[in-house]
Amino acid sequence: MSQDSTERSPGDLRNTGLSLKHDREWDYELDRIVAAVEERDASKVGLQFPEGLKRRSAAVTDDLREHLPEDVVVMTSGQPCYGACDLDTFLMRRTDVFVHFGHSPMKESDKIIYVPLFSNVEVTPIVERAVDEQLDPPEDDADVGLVTTAQHMNRFDQMRAFLEDRGYTVHTRRGDDRLTHEGQVLGCNYASADVDADQVLYVGGGKFHPLGLAMEHPEKHVVIADPVNNVVTVADAEQFMKQRYATVHKAMDADTWGVIFCTKIGQGRWETAEEIVAGNDDAYLVTMDEITPDRLTNFPYDAYVNTGCPRITTDDGPQFKQPLLTPGEYEIAIGEKPLDSLSFDTFHGTW
Amino acid sequence: MSQDSTERSPGDLRNTGLSLKHDREWDYELDRIVAAVEERDASKVGLQFPEGLKRRSAAVTDDLREHLPEDVVVMTSGQPCYGACDLDTFLMRRTDVFVHFGHSPMKESDKIIYVPLFSNVEVTPIVERAVDEQLDPPEDDADVGLVTTAQHMNRFDQMRAFLEDRGYTVHTRRGDDRLTHEGQVLGCNYASADVDADQVLYVGGGKFHPLGLAMEHPEKHVVIADPVNNVVTVADAEQFMKQRYATVHKAMDADTWGVIFCTKIGQGRWETAEEIVAGNDDAYLVTMDEITPDRLTNFPYDAYVNTGCPRITTDDGPQFKQPLLTPGEYEIAIGEKPLDSLSFDTFHGTW
């Protein structure tokens, strides 16, 4: 088992966005947690961190223990966690207070305290560089879309104001009910970038979100302003699209299909999975939470359709022995849709 | 993610016992499943196979589909499965008929159809060889313990009869309520070998069970009669015990401890985990189902106590970056027990 190897795919989900060069401090909102414990007379507190913040779990637990009655048990989820779609429902159901750190609410619930952990990184300097280096000047094209991730939402108004000061008309929207905020993107949902502008400015860390953004909106000029690594680049999904085409072609030879239904609370598309299996005698439903190459090794199928997280298909796909397709790519592979209908698989709704 | 690499530890849990040289046929008891679907007017059927039988899931699904109404959806668990302790409770709760293949019942339940998949391999020839080559002759020591795994329970009486014919007094017992049958062993429970005999004959495939047996009963002469690979050997846990001592020594330097509570239905020891954390300010509870090196990578602890499946600690332990101890070994490492109290960690009860 060498999953902890350093070999990682370009869009590896495991450390995305949160293993950062830039030093940051987070507000863990411990007061809110302590108040909830008191209010509910809780005896068990569950904490869930995204991968990059799990190393802080000991310090957060220490701080909580200091403020909580001695008989309150604090425990941390050791399940991998890649988003608000990925709640540890086991821990949630078995604790009186359940805290999900690092993501904005996908769906509000009394059972869950979401602590978004906004970044304290300044955004104006990198937005300025992006404007100067990569955006069309307002006199050529005044329309610009603006999107960011949950961590930088606290500075969204600053970004917008800066662009408007420079003479741009800033187009923003809230994508759909999977997203909490106007202008917010998720790894699987870029509906907020679906605005009336040919250029879009993405402000945020990592390569994970811009890659999805560029795949979802290949017609737009997507400029990345990364305030964490202090880099301005232009998103390019070409390599990934080539990879997708190659995978679809390979899957065209498949005699049997495994159709994966993901059991994570916010990653299930039951109707999609059921429909594929109902329509193809050579398709077989397989259910799982984490979708990894190892878990498919013992199954006998020639190719797989992943109805769960689209980013596993896109980013980790090449690590799987058999072709792993999105539902849309599956339709192309079995000849139900033309090859040029290939597009990025996005995820909508909550649960 | 290269979990599907060929590098495996001697006691690797992933293919044990079921990736066999000897050709076998299994009785999947499809009639019983079809009857249950009809009786319950079921619309969803869930199947769970151990790792080595997952490749048969397509054929079993095909056969079931042939006998079931067309609108019945059959799905297979893609979660790793290492025993009857390891039920896919998600699938169980969301299907009308849930079938667990390859293990004998740890606990009977109306929700679960257990299909034990008895082996059709002959056992008498290999028992004869074991008697001739490795057991003390009855005139020197007439007492012999007899144990086997669930797969060979259907031939247990044959084994016993053969030994008695040769003049042995065969000692057997049912271990405890974690075990279904008299003489049965599990990877984590060898209570059935706790008999009044200095020599024990284990009949079964693989290295997984004999290794545990030898660690649990270091004072006994444990003879392995493997009817699947047609091999007779003597179990030797020395290498593993050395490894355990080395790991305990390494863990003595730990300042902080992660205490793992396993969330799998039959692998949880809550009181043990809670007690450790209550007694040590530097211990932190971490909950998870699969316990893998990768899942611990992002946590900050110096050493871990695994209160879940003992075989992960013993067999996969060396693959973890930090020392991974059993609860008993933890007590030694923090100085609560003497070094020579080190023993194999067994698991009792059900859930």
Side-chain angles (χ1 to χ4, degrees), chain A residues 1-4 55 62 65 76 78-79 263 281 283-289 294-295 298 300 316 319, chain B residues 1-3 55 62 65 76 78-79 90 263 281 283-289 294-295 298 300 316 319:
Chain A
M1 280 185 249
S2 51
Q3 260 208 357
D4 57 336
R55 68 197 156 87
D62 283 342
R65 280 177 178 168
T76 297
Q79 300 294 111
T263 60
D281 285 347
Y284 301 83
L285 254 181
V286 181
T287 63
M288 60 182 77
D289 52 7
D294 198 48
R295 289 193 174 187
N298 290 318
D316 294 344
Q319 297 179 36
Chain B
M1 279 184 254
S2 50
Q3 262 208 352
R55 70 198 155 87
D62 283 342
R65 281 177 178 167
T76 297
Q79 300 293 112
F90 181 99
T263 60
D281 285 347
Y284 301 83
L285 254 181
V286 181
T287 64
M288 60 182 75
D289 51 8
D294 199 47
R295 289 193 173 186
N298 290 319
D316 294 345
Q319 298 179 34

Side-chain angles (χ1 to χ4, degrees), chain A residues 1-5 7-8 12 14-15 44 49 51-59 61-62 65 71 73-80 82 88 90-91 93-94 261-264 270 274 277-278 280-295 297-301 316 319 321, chain B residues 1-5 7-8 12 14-15 44 49 51-59 61-62 65 70-71 73-80 82 88 90-91 93-94 261-264 270 274 277 280-295 297-301 316 319 321:
Chain A
M1 280 185 249
S2 51
Q3 260 208 357
D4 57 336
S5 79
E7 250 187 76
R8 301 205 158 162
D12 192 307
R14 279 172 290 159
N15 279 313
K44 287 179 185 171
F49 299 87
E51 295 316 285
L53 286 175
K54 279 189 163 73
R55 68 197 156 87
R56 304 288 180 99
S57 58
T61 302
D62 283 342
R65 280 177 178 168
D71 58 341
V73 179
V74 180
M75 57 195 107
T76 297
S77 170
Q79 300 294 111
Y82 304 117
D88 185 338
F90 180 98
L91 199 57
R93 292 193 188 109
R94 283 161 186 83
F261 170 74
C262 178
T263 60
K264 290 187 176 191
W270 176 251
E274 203 185 14
V277 173
N280 186 341
D281 285 347
D282 300 316
Y284 301 83
L285 254 181
V286 181
T287 63
M288 60 182 77
D289 52 7
E290 296 296 318
I291 301 163
T292 64
D294 198 48
R295 289 193 174 187
T297 294
N298 290 318
F299 282 101
Y301 307 110
D316 294 344
Q319 297 179 36
K321 272 188 199 161
Chain B
M1 279 184 254
S2 50
Q3 262 208 352
D4 58 336
S5 78
E7 250 186 78
R8 301 205 158 162
D12 193 307
R14 277 172 293 160
N15 279 313
K44 288 178 185 170
F49 298 87
E51 296 316 287
L53 286 174
K54 279 189 163 74
R55 70 198 155 87
R56 305 286 180 98
S57 58
T61 302
D62 283 342
R65 281 177 178 167
E70 205 173 329
D71 58 342
V73 179
V74 180
M75 57 196 107
T76 297
S77 169
Q79 300 293 112
Y82 304 117
D88 184 339
F90 181 99
L91 199 57
R93 291 194 188 108
R94 283 160 186 85
F261 171 74
C262 179
T263 60
K264 290 188 175 189
W270 175 253
E274 203 186 15
V277 173
N280 185 343
D281 285 347
D282 299 316
Y284 301 83
L285 254 181
V286 181
T287 64
M288 60 182 75
D289 51 8
E290 296 297 318
I291 302 163
T292 63
D294 199 47
R295 289 193 173 186
T297 294
N298 290 319
F299 283 100
Y301 307 110
D316 294 345
Q319 298 179 34
K321 273 187 198 161

Side-chain angles (χ1 to χ4, degrees), chain B residues 171-242:
Chain B
H171 298 258
T172 62
R173 63 187 290 256
R174 187 184 161 203
D176 61 24
D177 61 356
R178 196 169 175 84
L179 300 149
T180 317
H181 307 285
E182 181 162 331
Q184 184 191 357
V185 291
L186 295 174
C188 60
N189 187 313
Y190 301 89
S192 62
D194 199 7
V195 291
D196 196 16
D198 293 333
Q199 52 184 348
V200 173
L201 179 65
Y202 162 85
V203 181
K207 289 181 180 172
F208 178 68
H209 291 93
L211 184 66
L213 184 54
M215 284 193 285
E216 171 70 354
H217 295 285
E219 78 291 357
K220 291 189 195 297
H221 179 58
V222 176
V223 177
I224 304 165
D226 180 341
V228 179
N229 296 303
N230 209 29
V231 178
V232 172
T233 46
V234 173
D236 181 8
E238 203 193 332
Q239 182 205 338
F240 270 76
M241 292 310 280
K242 276 185 190 161

